[in-house]
Amino acid sequence: TELTNLVSWWDLQGDVNDKHGSNNGTNNGATLNSNSYSGSSPFKPRIRDKAQPKMAVQLADGSTSFDGSNDYIDCGDDTSLDITGALTVSVWAKLDDVSSIDLVSKTTGWADDMAYWIGCSATSKVDFLISDNGTTYSSFGDSTQSTISTGQWNHFVGVYVPSTSITLYYNGSQEIQKTSSIKSAINNSAASLTIGKNIGIGSGYANGSIKNV
C-alpha cells in the first residue's frame, strides 16, 4: 500500500476502521472476515513470503462481505474526504454480481450532490465517475473495456488529474485513459463516503467481498 499522500486506508480486516487516517467506518450489516486462508483475502495464502514483513499481515488477512441487499459501510464526511483536486481510488473486490455495483461512492444520488464514484457499470465494466457541479457527471468507462470477472479477486483503480486526464485500471492493466474534456475540479459534496453502496439510492449494493480501499 502506497502511503505517500494517502488520505485513508480501510483494509477491512476484521473491522471497518481507517488504518491510516481518522475516518473510521460504521458497519451496516456487512460480515467481517479475518482469516487469509479461508478464501476471504485477495492475496491468500503466500503473500507473507513476498511482502515486506510489516505490511504482509495488513495486505493478506481478511476482507468484508456484503450481501447485495442492504449491507454497506459509512465512512462519514470528514473534510479530508472532500477531495476536489487530484484523486486516486483503489479497491479490491470479489463479486458475485458485476452489473451496476457501487464499490466506493461519495454522492447522495445520480443527480444530487455528487463527487466521485468507482464501481461496475450496467454492462459489467469498470467505471469511474467525477462530478464538478454535483448534479451531472462524466463517465469514463466504455464498451471496449474488459468485462469484470465474477467469483475472483479483481483490482479496480481510478486516477483523476484535474484538467488533464482520467485513467482506469483493472487488475494492473490500463483499461482506458481520456485526456479531453476533463473537469478542472471535483464537487465538494456533503455526502458520506460509502463502501458497498451509493448512499442516496436503494440499489447498487455490492454482492461479494471488498478489501483494501
Side-chain angles (χ1 to χ4, degrees):
T1 300
E2 175 58 58
L3 301 181
T4 304
N5 298 321
L6 185 66
V7 172
S8 289
W9 172 29
W10 298 275
D11 65 3
L12 303 183
Q13 173 201 323
D15 62 47
V16 296
N17 293 332
D18 181 355
K19 300 303 170 59
H20 180 76
S22 58
N23 298 307
N24 291 341
T26 299
N27 185 17
N28 294 271
T31 301
L32 304 174
N33 309 305
S34 59
N35 183 357
S36 62
Y37 289 84
S38 68
S40 61
S41 167
F43 301 100
K44 67 95 177 177
R46 297 303 343 153
I47 192 172
R48 290 187 179 89
D49 294 341
K50 300 176 186 286
Q52 296 179 6
K54 69 177 181 178
M55 299 299 294
V57 172
Q58 291 95 320
L59 288 170
D61 281 351
S63 62
T64 295
S65 299
F66 301 77
D67 65 3
S69 176
N70 56 10
D71 294 353
Y72 70 99
I73 297 166
D74 186 331
C75 300
D77 179 38
D78 186 77
T79 55
S80 64
L81 301 175
D82 292 331
I83 300 168
T84 59
L87 171 70
T88 297
V89 181
S90 171
V91 54
W92 284 86
K94 179 183 179 183
L95 302 170
D96 297 320
D97 181 3
V98 294
S99 176
S100 299
I101 298 299
D102 303 317
L103 294 175
V104 180
S105 173
K106 198 171 192 303
T107 171
T108 56
W110 291 125
D112 183 15
D113 204 17
M114 295 186 63
Y116 50 87
W117 176 99
I118 191 168
C120 310
S121 71
T123 56
S124 302
K125 315 290 187 181
V126 183
D127 206 355
F128 186 41
L129 310 182
I130 295 292
S131 177
D132 66 342
N133 59 16
T135 57
T136 60
Y137 60 86
S138 297
S139 173
F140 294 94
D142 70 15
S143 60
T144 66
Q145 295 172 228
S146 304
T147 299
I148 300 167
S149 299
T150 58
Q152 70 176 44
W153 283 102
N154 297 300
H155 189 207
F156 306 77
V157 179
V159 181
Y160 163 72
V161 181
S163 304
T164 302
S165 65
I166 290 275
T167 309
L168 291 176
Y169 297 90
Y170 175 61
N171 289 335
S173 297
Q174 180 177 305
E175 286 281 287
I176 188 171
Q177 183 177 72
K178 294 190 176 182
T179 56
S180 61
S181 303
I182 306 300
K183 305 297 186 182
S184 62
I186 303 173
N187 176 51
N188 186 346
S189 172
S192 290
L193 186 147
T194 53
I195 300 170
K197 174 196 177 183
N198 180 329
I199 200 166
I201 58 177
S203 62
Y205 287 97
N207 184 6
S209 298
I210 298 176
K211 170 75 176 171
N212 280 330
V213 176

